[in-house]
Amino acid sequence: MTDYKRCILLKYGELILKGQNKRYFEERLRSSVRRRLDHVLGEGNYDLYSMQSTVFVTPADQDLVEDALEELKTVFGLAGLCAAWRCEKDMGDIKKVLTEKISPELYAYKSFKCEAKRSDKDFPLTSLEIMLEAGDTLCIATDDAVPVDVREPDVTVVIEIRDTHAYIHFDKLKGAGGMPVGTSGRGLLLLSGGIDSPVAGYMMARRGMEIEALHFESYPYTSERAKEKVLELARLMCRYTDKMRVNIISLTEIQLAIKENCKEEYFTLILRRFMMRLAAKVCRRRSLPAIITGESLGQVASQTIGALCSTDAIAQENHIPVFRPCIGQDKDEIVVTSRKIGTFDTSILPYEDCCTVFTPKHPKTNPDMEKILEEEAKLDIDLLCKNAFESLEYVNIKYYENT
Ligand code: ATP
Ligand code: MG
């Protein structure tokens, strides 16, 4: 009797390249995959093993395969994924799957080809023979309704003969790519309510960083709803990052002191330098070795080379690199990613940000460092930072608590 099962194949991405670290990368990837599967299928309700740069998942509840597949599309480190039929390594069984399971779905395509991969070299047929027999089987099953096109097929039917079973599936879907979260260390994302910073966090998480966030509020000039919006953005980002601690610091006292004492054209620059000082403090407290921002060159007055230099100076004093993955992107490119990751609709909700409170009419775009220092000298920087840091509160967000 043919015994076939629905399962999921997950293909590793870039981590194949990682030589000696490969095992560590694989473990991180498997634990990300397990976290998702535990959520959607329930702990212990699936079989998982990995071999030859592929993770094989067989859910006990066969009706949940598509749900699990959907959930795994946002796991970094996966280059491709697909649902497959698993059967015995027997040509009779393979043909039965092709006839009963693959051929009904083939009508949706304009043309097809078959591809065979045979990692078990003891299998009696060669790859070419498997391909030809599979093609014939599908042509017969569909009464030649779907033509074969080996050059530019609309869809490819893949037959993989692996160590214990055969797997049959259509083309793979593209995975989230990048590297497993946590394999490139940790970073502090300065998370505003805007479009850019969630995208910046996503980009660095995709490179394998574990993300913690820092949001600055300016209550009562910014509202409770503005804070909620930022927490919602963090929740949405957790589809990719799994979890995120969001630290929140109040800038109200600092902003009022700047407004009271400094020249208006320097407000934003001085404020941003305070943000960096506080971010560096959070990095030290939380052992985070890098800062991430959503800045893009020339987007606003505080994102000119001179302005970025003046904030970088603070990060450098603290020996912390600032990663700005959006620096060379146009707004519309950033928006494309923002839509793709699902943060756009929340980002455009019209709540105020602390940067938009007390915005100068004519901000300095080409600041003179000496002038900035002169203006800052009018403030008790250490005391203001200490007080602001005391306002720190945090929220731990986990993806699964939202769903
Ligand atoms: P975004 O769309 O990310 O808000 P923006 O175009 O509004 O960016 P700015 O307001 O100048 O640009 O902010 C530049 C970067 O500074 C943001 O991407 C973010 O990393 C950081 N930032 C700005 N406001 C805040 C805030 N209230 N809390 C934390 N970080 C902030
Ligand atoms: Mg902003």
Side-chain angles (χ1 to χ4, degrees):
M1 196 192 77
T2 312
D3 174 30
Y4 41 75
K5 271 206 156 128
R6 203 75 172 128
C7 65
I8 296 171
L9 305 192
L10 307 169
K11 279 274 177 194
Y12 298 172
E14 208 172 316
L15 68 95
I16 307 173
L17 307 173
K18 293 294 166 186
Q20 287 188 334
N21 289 335
K22 189 175 162 190
R23 261 179 76 151
Y24 168 68
F25 278 69
E26 281 183 351
E27 264 158 34
R28 293 302 292 234
L29 178 62
R30 271 197 302 269
S31 76
S32 288
V33 167
R34 279 216 168 85
R35 255 198 307 279
R36 302 297 172 97
L37 293 175
D38 286 351
H39 169 66
V40 66
L41 302 174
E43 231 179 299
N45 290 334
Y46 58 91
D47 177 58
L48 178 149
Y49 79 100
S50 46
M51 186 162 283
Q52 297 162 326
S53 304
T54 305
V55 182
F56 299 83
V57 179
T58 314
D61 183 345
Q62 294 276 290
D63 292 337
L64 292 177
V65 167
E66 296 303 327
D67 292 0
L69 190 69
E70 192 55 38
E71 203 65 35
L72 294 168
K73 281 183 189 165
T74 54
V75 172
F76 290 134
L78 292 177
L81 64 171
C82 67
W85 291 100
R86 189 189 81 180
C87 69
E88 296 304 315
K89 292 194 291 184
D90 172 272
M91 214 48 216
D93 284 8
I94 292 170
K95 284 182 181 173
K96 202 163 160 58
V97 171
L98 287 166
T99 307
E100 291 179 11
K101 300 295 178 191
I102 300 288
S103 75
E105 290 187 48
L106 204 59
Y107 293 101
Y109 300 97
K110 291 192 195 73
S111 61
F112 79 101
K113 79 165 182 186
C114 288
E115 198 178 287
K117 292 181 185 161
R118 197 182 62 132
S119 58
D120 168 9
K121 300 298 174 200
D122 292 335
F123 193 72
L125 273 64
T126 65
S127 297
L128 185 66
E129 286 166 342
I130 301 168
M131 239 155 61
L132 292 174
E133 286 210 19
D136 279 350
T137 307
L138 287 172
C139 287
I140 293 167
T142 55
D143 255 343
D144 287 321
V146 189
V148 174
D149 180 347
V150 288
R151 280 174 205 280
E152 275 183 78
D154 195 19
V155 74
T156 304
V157 176
V158 184
I159 299 109
E160 301 191 37
I161 312 290
R162 296 282 193 150
D163 58 331
T164 59
H165 290 91
Y167 297 87
I168 303 158
H169 56 86
F170 289 106
D171 296 303
K172 288 198 184 64
L173 305 168
K174 216 167 148 37
M179 300 197 287
V181 164
T183 55
S184 295
R186 307 167 66 222
L188 181 69
L189 170 68
L190 302 194
L191 182 62
S192 68
I195 295 169
D196 310 332
S197 44
V199 169
Y202 158 84
M203 288 171 84
M204 296 318 294
R206 191 164 185 263
R207 292 311 301 158
M209 271 188 133
E210 191 180 313
I211 306 289
E212 182 158 327
L214 170 59
H215 174 67
F216 296 107
E217 63 169 8
S218 194
Y219 192 77
Y221 303 100
T222 60
S223 63
E224 194 60 32
R225 288 207 306 184
K227 184 159 90 182
E228 267 312 312
K229 169 184 168 180
V230 170
L231 294 177
E232 177 58 20
L233 286 172
R235 259 175 227 123
L236 292 168
M237 290 177 70
C238 283
R239 267 190 78 206
Y240 293 92
T241 61
D242 285 339
K243 59 184 167 91
M244 199 186 303
R245 168 171 155 141
V246 182
N247 301 281
I248 300 161
I249 289 182
S250 168
L251 286 183
T252 313
E253 192 191 344
I254 291 176
Q255 284 186 285
L256 291 172
I258 297 174
K259 185 168 186 284
E260 188 81 2
N261 295 287
C262 307
K263 282 198 186 130
E264 188 187 312
E265 65 214 50
Y266 288 98
F267 282 4
T268 310
L269 282 174
I270 294 175
L271 180 65
R272 297 196 69 82
R273 282 165 56 85
F274 269 102
M275 284 181 167
M276 275 297 167
R277 286 187 190 98
L278 292 165
K281 255 179 177 313
V282 174
C283 282
R284 260 197 307 280
R285 165 76 64 91
R286 300 282 306 151
S287 306
L288 297 159
I291 292 172
I292 303 158
T293 78
E295 287 156 314
S296 159
L297 190 63
Q299 194 186 75
V300 285
S302 62
Q303 293 172 27
T304 60
I305 294 177
L308 295 174
C309 252
S310 76
T311 46
D312 264 354
I314 305 281
Q316 274 160 18
E317 277 167 25
N318 289 279
H319 308 286
I320 299 174
V322 183
F323 295 148
R324 300 180 171 98
C326 300
I327 197 75
Q329 294 204 304
D330 290 351
K331 194 75 182 185
D332 35 353
E333 290 174 290
I334 300 172
V335 164
V336 167
T337 310
S338 165
R339 285 188 195 279
K340 184 179 98 177
I341 64 174
T343 50
F344 184 75
D345 291 343
T346 304
S347 286
I348 58 172
L349 293 174
Y351 306 130
E352 61 298 315
D353 179 59
C354 68
C355 285
T356 55
V357 181
F358 313 135
T359 318
K361 280 189 206 70
H362 303 289
K364 273 274 172 217
T365 52
N366 196 8
D368 175 342
M369 204 59 207
E370 264 176 41
K371 288 269 169 50
I372 296 176
L373 295 176
E374 216 172 90
E375 289 305 305
E376 276 183 352
K378 299 173 183 168
L379 304 168
D380 187 340
I381 294 175
D382 290 344
L383 182 67
L384 285 169
C385 282
K386 184 171 164 287
N387 290 346
F389 200 66
E390 276 168 12
S391 76
L392 189 147
E393 47 181 83
Y394 67 89
V395 181
N396 277 321
I397 295 179
K398 285 199 184 117
Y399 173 48
Y400 301 122
E401 283 163 9
N402 323 314
T403 50

